[in-house]
Amino acid sequence: MEFPFQLPPQLRESEDPIVTITAESLRPPRSHSGLSRNWQDMNTIIDEMGAASSKAQKLPQIITSAERLLNSNHRLYLLRDLRAPGCNVLGLIKVGEKKLFLHDEMSRMHEKTPLCVLDFYVHESCQRTGLGKLLFDYMTVVESVEPSELAIDRPSHKFLSFLGRHFGLNAPLEQANNFVVYRSFFSNKVTTSSRLEASNMPACNSQNSAVTTHDDSSQGRIRKPPMASSMNPPSRYARGANQMKTSSGLSAAMGYMPAAR
Ligand code: ACO
């Protein structure tokens, strides 16, 4: 998606195709230096990409916006086209921890605080060209998480196909709270319990799951009536942030070789 302005500083500062945006990234610097010029354009990018994602998923409301990000501890990974002369953003993936009640294949209930994929979108002009995999892989490395350890908020059929195709994740366990996990999720005790230990907050209804409209379109997200159970725990992003230092090498290793600008 092309934007009619130059890259905002948050994207300009990085030479990598993927940039992590948090609430902190949206707060303008206090000084009125050149750096703060077109700082607000980042909000436009997030709002328009978020709207495009919701439209692609036929969701009745927008789940990724600058305002929502500003009031959360979510991490938004944005993929931009380094070959474009201006500002061209190709995709996003948004993640964050949520406290959830999840049942395993024996219908036993577990209280967990997994990392959740909350939104995932690649622009229509470049879907099915491997960019979704690039974004997803990048996110899992930075967040130190295996795909099977993730909980997915209302995955679309495309996303379910993506997980099967790239990671052999099949036969999802659909939860009453609209999340999906896989059988191997419950065999990995380390990640889920350590994320849980970091939070003492009580479970409550998911912000993202609070949408009441049912959409069972084949292209839209799978939805069930909302019934459960999540809340944002305190951020544990610091661990992943350290790994961001390796992102240049990671991008190259993933085969995304940016053309000269
Ligand atoms: N139909 C079925 N499967 C699809 C489709 C499609 N139209 N598009 C992608 N996929 C799946 C397939 O498994 C495909 O493999 P294949 O081409 O061999 O069949 C695989 O994804 C392709 O992998 P990538 O090229 O790496 O993925 P892509 O860049 O297309 O990104 C994504 C995947 C993000 C799901 C993208 O297709 C998209 O934006 N779709 C619309 C929005 C959406 O559904 N987002 C997920 C919502 S759920 C959530 O966010 C928690």
Side-chain angles (χ1 to χ4, degrees):
M1 184 182 287
E2 279 188 55
F3 293 91
F5 42 72
Q6 289 302 303
L7 287 171
Q10 299 96 325
L11 299 184
R12 206 164 56 221
E13 279 172 1
S14 171
E15 295 195 344
D16 294 314
I18 302 175
V19 176
T20 313
I21 305 293
T22 62
E24 198 54 39
S25 323
L26 300 181
R27 294 188 188 109
R30 288 205 180 126
S31 73
H32 293 286
S33 66
L35 187 66
S36 62
R37 224 179 305 135
N38 86 321
W39 193 268
Q40 294 295 333
D41 287 342
M42 192 70 237
N43 295 21
T44 305
I45 292 172
I46 295 171
D47 289 348
E48 293 198 14
M49 289 295 290
S53 177
S54 288
K55 188 175 174 196
Q57 298 170 52
K58 298 182 169 51
L59 294 177
Q61 72 175 43
I62 293 169
I63 53 175
T64 296
S65 68
E67 191 183 352
R68 278 184 169 229
L69 190 64
L70 200 52
N71 294 304
S72 75
N73 56 10
H74 298 158
R75 282 82 72 193
L76 179 69
Y77 297 85
L78 282 181
L79 172 66
R80 69 185 173 103
D81 187 353
L82 290 179
R83 296 161 299 188
C87 180
N88 192 8
V89 180
L90 304 175
L92 64 82
I93 188 164
K94 185 174 76 173
V95 298
E97 291 82 2
K98 283 179 180 284
K99 187 169 280 190
L100 300 171
F101 290 106
L102 300 166
H103 67 77
D104 62 21
E105 57 191 317
M106 305 297 287
S107 298
R108 287 174 302 222
M109 274 304 219
H110 303 259
E111 188 181 341
K112 301 278 189 188
T113 310
L115 186 69
C116 302
V117 181
L118 305 169
D119 200 2
F120 188 25
Y121 170 67
V122 168
H123 192 264
E124 283 73 7
S125 63
C126 47
Q127 287 179 12
R128 275 186 148 158
T129 64
L131 294 183
K133 175 80 161 48
L134 182 74
L135 258 172
F136 193 92
D137 282 348
Y138 186 92
M139 178 277 292
T140 56
V141 170
V142 173
E143 299 281 344
S144 299
V145 68
E146 294 294 325
S148 62
E149 296 170 343
L150 293 163
I152 318 288
D153 191 4
R154 292 170 287 155
S156 64
H157 291 273
K158 288 184 186 179
F159 195 7
L160 291 175
S161 166
F162 173 95
L163 291 167
R165 162 87 167 79
H166 293 302
F167 305 106
L169 292 171
N170 296 301
L173 296 171
E174 293 175 17
Q175 307 290 319
N177 54 13
N178 294 321
F179 280 79
V180 154
V181 293
Y182 290 84
R183 279 171 180 73
S184 42
F185 176 91
F186 296 99
S187 53
N188 189 312
K189 296 195 170 60
V190 176
T191 302
T192 50
S193 59
S194 61
R195 285 182 188 272
L196 180 60
E197 276 163 22
S199 170
N200 293 317
M201 299 173 86
C204 71
N205 284 339
S206 160
Q207 192 182 29
N208 279 333
S209 300
V211 184
T212 51
T213 309
H214 186 93
D215 176 5
D216 57 4
S217 141
S218 63
Q219 295 303 312
R221 285 195 184 187
I222 294 170
R223 299 188 49 70
K224 287 185 178 177
M227 195 183 122
S229 309
S230 66
M231 179 179 247
N232 295 334
S235 174
R236 272 148 282 161
Y237 176 60
R239 177 182 49 134
N242 290 333
Q243 288 175 278
M244 287 294 290
K245 291 173 187 153
T246 64
S247 59
S248 295
L250 182 66
S251 301
M254 286 173 174
Y256 187 97
M257 300 307 292
R261 279 180 285 175

